[in-house]
Amino acid sequence: MIGRRLEEPFISQNCRGLKDDDALLIADHELGDRGVFAACFQETWRTGREERAGENGALYLGCGLDVQTCRRGTVGVGLWLSDRAVAAWEAAGREFLVANPRLIAIRLTVRDDRGRDVDLVLASGYAPDSGKPIELSDAFYADVDALLLKGRASDVFVFGCARADANATIGTD
C-alpha cells in the first residue's frame, strides 16, 4: 500500500467453482480475516465482468463467460483485493491491463522497503487443460504475451495461474 511496506501475503487458488454469491462472501471474509493483501482466483465459474464490493473496503474483480456452457460452470478468473490493495489499484489508475474469461490483470502501485513507489502487475490466469483444442491454448498464451508486452521495464509481475487442471479423473486407457 502507498505509504507503508507491503508485508501482507498474496495467494492463488483454483476455486473449482465460486459462482454462488455466498461462496464469494465466505472467501471475502476468510481472506480479510487472514490479512491477505490480494488473491488470484481461477476456475471461478462466474459469468460476465464484475467489480463487486466486499467487507471492509475489499473488492472482487472478475471475468467469466457471458453465458456458462455447462450446468456446473466453466473457466472464469478473478482478483480479490483487500482495502490496501484497492488503494494501491486506485493509486495506479484503476486500470485493467487485460480482462477475459481466462486472464485478468491490473496494475498496483505499492511502496518498497526503501520508500519508493513500485508498480506491480497482478494477474490471474486459467490455462486450458490438455483436453481442450490447441487453439484455446494458443489464444491464452498470446494473451499472456500481450500482457507482458504491456508491462514496463520497472514492473514487478505477480502471476497466479492454474496450468495443470489437477482435479481430473485418471482413466484406464
Side-chain angles (χ1 to χ4, degrees):
M1 176 173 159
I2 299 298
R4 60 186 276 235
R5 188 173 174 195
L6 179 63
E7 295 176 346
E8 298 95 348
F10 289 88
I11 67 164
S12 182
Q13 179 68 44
N14 182 329
C15 297
R16 197 169 181 225
L18 193 63
K19 66 182 178 179
D20 183 294
D21 285 346
D22 288 340
L24 189 57
L25 288 172
I26 291 167
D28 179 57
H29 180 75
E30 293 295 324
L31 293 167
D33 279 358
R34 286 171 170 70
V36 172
F37 182 74
C40 301
F41 293 141
Q42 303 87 34
E43 202 175 1
T44 63
W45 302 350
R46 296 183 68 83
T47 56
R49 187 165 161 177
E50 299 181 85
E51 215 175 292
R52 194 176 190 96
E55 292 182 353
N56 301 315
L59 184 65
Y60 173 78
L61 305 171
C63 198
L65 297 173
D66 289 332
V67 176
Q68 286 295 345
T69 57
C70 69
R71 192 172 57 109
R72 75 170 184 147
T74 185
V75 303
V77 289
L79 298 169
W80 178 89
L81 307 176
S82 67
D83 61 335
R84 291 132 3 246
V86 170
W89 184 46
E90 289 172 346
R94 294 181 60 96
E95 178 184 12
F96 280 91
L97 300 173
V98 65
N100 68 48
R102 288 195 177 271
L103 183 63
I104 188 170
I106 61 173
R107 181 173 277 113
L108 308 171
T109 300
V110 297
R111 187 147 296 168
D112 70 11
D113 57 357
R114 293 182 182 159
R116 297 176 300 190
D117 286 348
V118 175
D119 282 339
L120 185 143
V121 174
L122 179 63
S124 181
Y126 182 54
D129 63 53
S130 61
K132 301 290 187 279
I134 191 70
E135 295 81 19
L136 277 178
S137 286
D138 289 346
F140 174 77
Y141 288 108
D143 287 344
V144 171
D145 287 345
L147 170 62
L148 293 172
L149 289 172
K150 287 181 183 179
R152 303 173 187 144
S154 60
D155 284 341
V156 174
F157 278 83
V158 175
F159 194 10
C161 183
R163 175 56 189 114
D165 200 343
N167 52 24
T169 303
I170 305 293
T172 57
D173 291 341

